[in-house]
Amino acid sequence: MHSNFDTELQHHISTDSPNKIETFTIGEVAKMIGSKVRTIRYYDEIGLVKPTNYTEGGHRLYSTEDVWRLELTATLRYLDFGIEEISQLFSGELSIDKALDWQIETLSIQASALTNMISILQQAKQQQGGSLRYLYDLVQAKASNVEKRKKFINENVESSNLFEGVPPDYQAPMLHYFNKHIVNQKKTTAIEIAAWNELQEIINDPQFMKDMKITNFAFFINELQPRYDADTWIKKLDQIYVRLTHALESKKSADSPEVQAIIEESVSLYDNAEQTIYNEDFLISFLEHAEQTHSPLIDRVNRLCAIMSPQLNLLAEGNLIFFQNLQQRIIPLQSHSSVQPKG
């Protein structure tokens, strides 16, 4: 495919005049990169790779740079990159190093799942009769149902004193999204089972619980002082994340009016909202605290959770938008404070 692509592309480049940008029809591009016209048309429709120009009749015309992006897209799709990840790579939102790390992690989980499935099939094959029942039992033994996952998490939370200083009625909301999308997940694929198995290993690591304690859940309750009871607070937070998800899907930036309105409402969940959203000291303290909540183990857990649940991945992206917005609020506050008369 690459040889044919290079030959076709070089032919068009060599016949191109110095003052004219050579373009290709969608049919020519499909032939050059060994793709289907409907695939290329789809990439245009979703905004991944749009043509540089159109004919007077409205037909797509692709430049050599467009063709390169389409060829690169085909390569990344071969390596199992998602459309959204490719889009973020092209836009610069996602660095190449991070994208590669994420993909290596994802494929490692898939490899683990495949190894596990091969093992189950081999064990079942060794059975003399009744192998289908045995196959079912083996899969069920590997999977972990909701009750087992709840028990595992509750025991680890209790033994580690993870919620020390957090009022009892707020402890469940602190794990609301993890429970909703991971623990209470009823149906799990082979890949999700492999991710859950690795999650258990990390959660059992004493270092992970030490890392988790630096997130200091009590900070969000005792320092921010939610103005609602725990049940109302988490319901309102759910609504805010739904709006953030829609903003993400619409490609809204952190400084867009829509996102700013969501952040205002988010901060209004707390007693001192009107003061803190414009208070430089509070914002700096809040962001510094958030930056301390990262470690290799915590980041790995977040990636495993994203593999198990795309919804959690969207929540993580929503949090990033949230913090980007707060960071942008600090800049004018700092500029304003720097020109205030002293004394």
Side-chain angles (χ1 to χ4, degrees):
M1 180 177 73
H2 291 283
S3 177
N4 181 56
F5 166 75
D6 291 339
T7 302
E8 292 280 349
L9 188 57
Q10 189 59 44
H11 170 73
H12 282 272
I13 293 174
S14 63
T15 57
D16 193 13
S17 66
N19 298 319
K20 182 182 177 183
I21 298 176
E22 183 70 28
T23 55
F24 315 90
T25 66
I26 194 169
E28 289 174 329
V29 173
K31 180 181 176 184
M32 290 161 64
I33 68 174
S35 183
K36 295 179 180 178
V37 168
R38 67 171 177 266
T39 300
I40 299 172
R41 188 181 296 120
Y42 170 69
Y43 290 155
D44 175 19
E45 291 169 354
I46 64 174
L48 183 63
V49 182
K50 301 189 74 65
T52 292
N53 210 338
Y54 295 86
T55 67
E56 290 183 2
H59 297 290
R60 298 169 176 85
L61 291 175
Y62 290 86
S63 68
T64 54
E65 178 64 24
D66 299 333
V67 176
W68 158 243
R69 280 181 171 245
L70 286 165
E71 178 73 359
L72 180 57
T73 298
T75 300
L76 293 172
R77 292 296 288 152
Y78 170 77
L79 293 172
D80 210 28
F81 278 83
I83 294 295
E84 183 60 28
E85 288 175 317
I86 296 172
S87 177
Q88 290 177 347
L89 273 171
F90 286 170
S91 67
E93 296 175 56
L94 180 63
S95 71
I96 295 175
D97 283 347
K98 182 172 285 188
L100 293 176
D101 285 341
W102 285 3
Q103 198 62 7
I104 289 169
E105 291 173 357
T106 302
L107 293 177
S108 295
I109 294 293
Q110 292 178 10
S112 175
L114 288 172
T115 299
N116 183 45
M117 286 190 285
I118 290 170
S119 174
I120 289 173
L121 292 170
Q122 288 175 335
Q123 291 180 61
K125 186 178 179 181
Q126 292 171 1
Q127 292 300 300
Q128 299 297 321
S131 61
L132 286 179
R133 179 67 192 185
Y134 186 70
L135 190 67
Y136 171 83
D137 291 340
L138 282 173
V139 171
Q140 295 307 307
K142 292 285 185 182
S144 181
N145 62 31
V146 173
E147 290 308 313
K148 286 181 180 178
R149 290 197 291 269
K150 281 183 179 178
K151 185 171 184 278
F152 174 78
I153 295 299
N154 290 338
E155 287 177 351
N156 277 274
V157 167
E158 184 177 349
S159 64
S160 65
N161 295 317
L162 184 61
F163 291 130
E164 186 176 2
V166 177
D169 57 332
Y170 272 94
Q171 293 181 13
M174 292 292 98
L175 287 178
H176 171 71
Y177 295 108
F178 184 79
N179 286 332
K180 180 179 179 179
H181 298 295
I182 301 297
V183 174
N184 294 327
Q185 192 177 22
K186 292 184 178 179
K187 293 286 186 179
T188 50
T189 65
I191 291 173
E192 289 164 351
I193 290 171
W196 171 252
N197 289 338
E198 187 177 341
L199 266 175
Q200 290 182 91
E201 292 178 9
I202 295 176
I203 293 172
N204 276 326
D205 186 336
Q207 183 60 49
F208 171 73
M209 281 303 176
K210 287 181 181 178
D211 292 348
M212 281 296 293
K213 284 186 177 181
I214 67 174
T215 64
N216 191 7
F217 293 106
F219 171 86
F220 293 96
I221 302 304
N222 300 329
E223 296 294 328
L224 300 185
Q225 302 173 9
R227 61 194 300 185
Y228 302 101
D229 62 82
D231 288 339
T232 304
W233 177 70
I234 199 63
K235 285 177 183 177
K236 286 184 174 292
L237 201 58
D238 264 335
Q239 294 168 358
I240 286 169
Y241 273 119
V242 167
R243 291 172 61 191
L244 263 181
T245 297
H246 289 160
L248 279 169
E249 291 172 344
S250 302
K251 305 294 184 183
K252 301 296 182 182
S253 63
D255 60 352
S256 67
E258 293 88 344
V259 172
Q260 289 188 43
I262 296 171
I263 303 307
E264 292 276 3
E265 186 171 333
S266 177
V267 177
S268 74
L269 296 179
Y270 305 95
D271 281 337
N272 52 356
E274 293 182 2
Q275 301 172 38
T276 57
I277 196 66
Y278 300 111
N279 184 286
E280 179 185 345
D281 290 337
F282 167 78
L283 291 179
I284 291 175
S285 173
F286 186 88
L287 289 170
E288 285 178 348
H289 180 82
E291 288 170 358
Q292 293 172 359
T293 61
H294 290 283
S295 76
L297 287 176
I298 290 177
D299 289 344
R300 179 60 177 164
V301 164
N302 289 338
R303 285 298 302 149
L304 290 168
C305 288
I307 290 169
M308 290 189 70
S309 170
Q311 293 92 334
L312 279 181
N313 199 33
L314 277 174
L315 284 175
E317 291 182 27
N319 276 331
L320 179 60
I321 289 280
F322 178 87
F323 289 119
Q324 285 175 343
N325 186 285
L326 292 184
Q327 286 170 335
Q328 289 174 0
R329 287 177 179 273
I330 287 178
I331 297 173
L333 289 173
Q334 289 176 325
S335 300
H336 177 73
S337 63
S338 66
V339 299
Q340 293 297 309
K342 297 183 180 179

